[in-house]
Amino acid sequence: MPANMPDIANQAKAQTEGELDWVGMSNIEMPLMIEVEGETRPVSALIEAFVNLKDPKAKGIHMSRLYLMVDELSTESVLSVSNLKTLLHGFIESHNDISDNAQVKFEFDYHMRRKSLISGKLGWKAYPVTITGQIIKGDLNIELAVNVPYSSTCPCSAALARQLIQNQFNQTFAGQESVKSADIMDFLGSTDGIIATPHSQRSIADVKVKLADDTDGFPIVDLVDAIEHALKTPVQAAVKREDEQEFARLNGQNLMFCEDAGRRIKATLNAQKQYQDFWIRVNHYESLHAHDAVSVASKGVEGGYRNH
Ligand SMILES: Nc1nc2c(ncn2[C@@H]2O[C@H](COP(=O)(O)OP(=O)(O)OP(=O)(O)O)[C@@H](O)[C@H]2O)c(=O)[nH]1
């Protein structure tokens, strides 16, 4: 590098003095290798990298230093919990006099092979994942967030549809003392037998968990599995007719308002002790309304995600 290049970040003074909470870069596009539950695989990530600017007089941070450290992770290493910690410490060490907090965020799709409900066929599902690491006042915080799509069928709509089905039954067999079971079977198998269907919608659970201090891995698969198990109606990948029928049964047996879905996930995560805190936002993208039904819940840790 030529010796006489101006170095504004080091040499200039701030026009207006003041500390800044975060300064850095967002939307850095990089491929990465990520280590999840013993498996390493490539993902395409959008990254944010920040430090604070604690020196009110310093002109700016050294963006290139943060960028090059993230680039080194991308080209020579893997994203693991221990490398995430090293990266954050590196951010602060590279800004020794002017920063003492650091933050990095990785957003990517994590593909999983998912098995169909009955036929055993396999297909891909891409789960949006965000991993955030922070060191603030020396305290490390690692957060994992996932979006899990599922189907929710409205319990109120189901009850109203059942009433219409009963009315239709009465109308069809009106005045008959007794009805042959074969006639009832025929009725149930006809369009008239299911005169109304409850509305259901593709729904998404946004879930964030704060990992315990001694965590040594990112429990992406565990977390998604736990949420899908709690809800029972995850969106499917490969689907044959027998799978679709089972999906219809599961929807019918797991009618859910957004409150039900939020409580199911909350109960499941409360039972899993590895998360210091969690936050859930359940979004039901209604087909009845043009607006969404939403519930939010957290573990209830004071000073944590509560009321976020
Ligand atoms: N701090 C800061 N830098 C910016 C901004 N926008 C672009 N940059 C550029 O980021 C580049 C890298 O800055 P530095 O990390 O200080 O680069 P450098 O001086 O070559 O690297 P060092 O010798 O390690 O300090 C510079 O060319 C800046 O102009 C901004 O808003 N703030």
Side-chain angles (χ1 to χ4, degrees), residues 212-225:
D213 295 340
D214 58 355
T215 300
D216 57 2
F218 302 118
I220 298 177
V221 181
D222 261 9
L223 181 59
V224 171
D225 281 349

Side-chain angles (χ1 to χ4, degrees), residues 81-133:
V81 170
S82 68
N83 290 339
L84 178 64
K85 291 179 189 169
T86 306
L87 183 70
L88 289 167
H89 286 295
F91 283 6
I92 294 174
E93 280 154 24
S94 69
H95 287 75
N96 207 9
D97 299 327
I98 59 172
S99 309
D100 52 7
N101 295 335
Q103 178 171 209
V104 66
K105 186 194 273 190
F106 300 90
E107 287 179 295
F108 52 88
D109 278 351
Y110 192 81
H111 287 75
M112 290 190 211
R113 295 295 279 167
R114 299 313 245 176
K115 209 177 196 174
S116 59
L117 293 166
I118 301 286
S119 69
K121 302 278 183 239
L122 289 167
W124 287 109
K125 273 180 73 183
Y127 295 89
V129 171
T130 305
I131 291 172
T132 309

Side-chain angles (χ1 to χ4, degrees):
M1 173 181 20
N4 60 353
M5 288 179 80
D7 188 351
I8 287 293
N10 264 333
Q11 292 159 354
K13 289 267 171 282
Q15 292 154 347
T16 308
E17 294 182 8
E19 293 179 31
L20 294 169
D21 293 349
W22 296 116
V23 189
M25 292 157 287
S26 79
N27 282 322
I28 306 172
E29 294 171 286
M30 281 190 195
L32 278 176
M33 295 299 286
I34 180 162
E35 190 181 291
V36 174
E37 295 168 35
E39 190 202 328
T40 303
R41 67 156 76 168
V43 292
S44 178
L46 276 183
I47 303 166
E48 285 191 351
F50 288 101
V51 286
N52 64 330
L53 188 52
K54 66 170 181 171
D55 180 347
K57 293 186 192 317
K59 175 72 175 166
I61 67 150
H62 303 284
M63 302 238 174
S64 68
R65 299 181 193 176
L66 303 184
Y67 181 91
L68 292 173
M69 274 182 272
V70 177
D71 188 72
E72 190 180 326
L73 180 84
S74 158
T75 54
E76 290 170 33
S77 189
V78 298
L79 177 58
S80 62
V81 170
S82 68
N83 290 339
L84 178 64
K85 291 179 189 169
T86 306
L87 183 70
L88 289 167
H89 286 295
F91 283 6
I92 294 174
E93 280 154 24
S94 69
H95 287 75
N96 207 9
D97 299 327
I98 59 172
S99 309
D100 52 7
N101 295 335
Q103 178 171 209
V104 66
K105 186 194 273 190
F106 300 90
E107 287 179 295
F108 52 88
D109 278 351
Y110 192 81
H111 287 75
M112 290 190 211
R113 295 295 279 167
R114 299 313 245 176
K115 209 177 196 174
S116 59
L117 293 166
I118 301 286
S119 69
K121 302 278 183 239
L122 289 167
W124 287 109
K125 273 180 73 183
Y127 295 89
V129 171
T130 305
I131 291 172
T132 309
Q134 279 185 334
I135 295 178
I136 295 179
K137 291 190 181 145
D139 285 341
L140 175 77
N141 180 18
I142 301 179
E143 178 187 282
L144 168 66
V146 294
N147 290 357
V148 178
Y150 63 99
S151 164
S152 61
T153 304
C154 177
C156 181
S157 184
L160 295 167
R162 274 196 301 272
Q163 187 180 46
L164 288 179
I165 291 167
Q166 285 175 317
N167 292 347
Q168 186 64 25
F169 180 90
N170 276 341
Q171 210 175 306
T172 304
F173 298 105
Q176 297 186 33
E177 278 279 302
S178 64
V179 183
K180 285 196 195 122
S181 64
D183 292 341
I184 297 175
M185 280 297 280
D186 284 346
F187 167 77
L188 290 174
S190 71
T191 318
D192 271 359
I194 182 165
I195 193 83
T197 56
H199 69 271
S200 62
Q201 48 260 327
R202 190 185 294 176
S203 307
I204 296 189
D206 301 337
V207 178
K208 287 194 280 200
V209 294
K210 181 172 160 22
L211 302 184
D213 295 340
D214 58 355
T215 300
D216 57 2
F218 302 118
I220 298 177
V221 181
D222 261 9
L223 181 59
V224 171
D225 281 349
I227 295 164
E228 291 193 342
H229 186 72
L231 294 167
K232 305 274 189 277
T233 52
V235 166
Q236 300 292 301
V239 174
K240 303 291 283 181
R241 268 175 296 159
E242 58 266 43
D243 305 314
E244 184 164 357
Q245 190 169 58
E246 177 62 2
F247 190 69
R249 192 187 69 79
L250 285 169
N251 271 268
Q253 294 304 301
N254 292 278
L255 304 170
M256 274 182 277
F257 278 147
C258 65
E259 293 93 328
D260 299 305
R263 286 182 179 130
R264 281 182 182 213
I265 301 170
K266 180 174 176 171
T268 293
L269 297 184
N270 263 331
Q272 300 203 343
K273 300 295 170 216
Q274 75 255 45
Y275 305 128
Q276 288 187 347
D277 198 358
F278 59 76
W279 179 89
I280 304 156
R281 180 186 160 112
V282 153
N283 308 279
H284 284 189
Y285 301 112
E286 293 286 315
S287 54
L288 172 65
H289 315 281
H291 53 260
D292 310 327
V294 174
S295 74
V296 177
S298 64
K299 187 165 181 161
V301 175
E302 210 50 63
Y305 293 131
R306 194 174 190 170
N307 296 326
H308 270 215

